Amino acid sequence: MHLAARRRRVLVVGIDGVRLDVLSRLDTPHLDALAADGFLAPVVVEPGTPTMSGPCWATIVTGVTVDKHAVWSNDFSGNRLAVFPDFTTRLRDAGRRTYVAAAWEPLMTVANGGPLFRAPGRVTHVAPTADDCEGWEEADELVTAEAERVLTEYDPEASFVYLGAVDETAHILGCGEEYERAAVRADERLGRLLAAVRGRPSSTEEAWTFIVVTDHGHRDEGGHGGRSELERTAWIACAGPDVPAGARVDGLRHQDVAAQVFASLDHPADSHWTLDGRPFATGPRAVLLDMDGTLVDTEALWWRTAQEVAEGVGLRLTDADTPEVVGRCVEDTAVHLRRVSGTERPLDALVAELDARFLAAVEAETTVLPGARELLGTLGDMGIPVALVTASPRAVVESVLKVLGAESFQVTVTADDTDRTKPHPEPYLAAARALGVDPAGCLAVEDSPAGIAAAEAAGCRVAAVPSLVPVEAGSGRRVLTGLTELVELLEAGRSPRGRE
């Protein structure tokens, strides 16, 4: 099923107090797999936010900073959560199904000025029988087991599951071997939650985003609340349909988690919410650039060439012919002209004339489109690999590369290089393969519906810069005003994801 038709879902798993430096040396296969499918990146608790669970989790689930939600400690009294509620409550108010499972009382009950989660659609709360390592492990186990059942049998669109045993272990025993074992057990529970989601009977009809986040670090002896690097360093991992494998991501903040939840559900954040977070800025691992109509103003030359050859066989092209000409290879266009005109002129002759006329026009009239040189320069400065993927023949591409600079591209894929060309995905698959990058980690930049269809079928995200044919935004596809806008997004560290 195409991504746009799949039902979007989000699962956020909060694992309290897991140090990034400790995590890096542990065997955590489930978290490692998420990181490989997307990313795992550090977060630094902001200077004005106490390195305590209450303020950090409030920032994570509300999408606003401590100055707004006013949770300043693990006593939530005096909070402004009625004004700045958590994402599960906002979504439930909008008619979406939400679920929260946790053992820590202020998250779920009125204890200590709570609850943080004011009105999710469904809840699981299992308080620890004792405030010790064993009590918290037991509570996390019961929370996980019930969350597995709910995620399997119920259909929550956005869920938050909290695991607290790792943090409590650090407080009681410090960040030693038992702390590390607690972190490994948390990863095992994460794996069970992921398996519950992936085992759903309807999983093939759903597009899930998984976010795993910790709130703060710990001193070696256990404890936090200070401003040391160990205490201020947290992390976020994410994988999902809008996040390319091995994504490049910088500048993550805790308040971005809630913003990403809304974005992953295609649920725009209301400007009146005044969120401080923004969806994760996941940069592409590689950029695959169309040529005609995207980098150089040759799409109009191709349309004029097709018109001239069509007139030679008694045919006048109209807008109805555009899908069979714009973004298509010369053979496809020749077949279309022959079929529609009814001419008996040999197909090879039509192909040869189209080729010759187009090459002559390109050599005489090619101009670089606004923003193209800046885009190539920006990608080079950022160290992002670039491929040229075009339905034009090699001779035309060589002519254009004299204008654009062949050194800007690590790979070029032309109509002569694959058995099938656009709108078939093979050219984009070949380019990603040559660069050694998963297509899901690639951003394709296209101007035509045929090219967009090829890129999306290959599994790439798409930034569309329409030339002759209008293009609508969609899941995984963003429509831009031009290449200059794409340059601005990349330089600002923002992702040209779909539906923004």
Side-chain angles (χ1 to χ4, degrees), residues 4 8 263 266-268 473-479 496-500:
R8 287 181 167 254
D266 282 339
H267 188 98
S475 181
R477 179 199 315 160
R478 179 166 179 167
V479 179
R497 70 178 73 248
R499 296 191 187 278
E500 287 190 12

Side-chain angles (χ1 to χ4, degrees), residues 346-399:
L347 185 63
D348 289 348
L350 288 174
V351 168
E353 184 177 0
L354 286 165
D355 267 340
R357 284 181 177 270
F358 185 47
L359 179 58
V362 168
E363 290 177 338
E365 304 177 55
T366 294
T367 58
V368 178
L369 286 167
R373 295 193 190 282
E374 292 80 359
L375 175 60
L376 292 172
T378 296
L379 294 172
D381 291 343
M382 295 176 71
I384 298 177
V386 181
L388 188 67
V389 185
T390 176
S392 287
R394 174 64 63 177
V396 170
V397 173
E398 294 297 337
S399 177

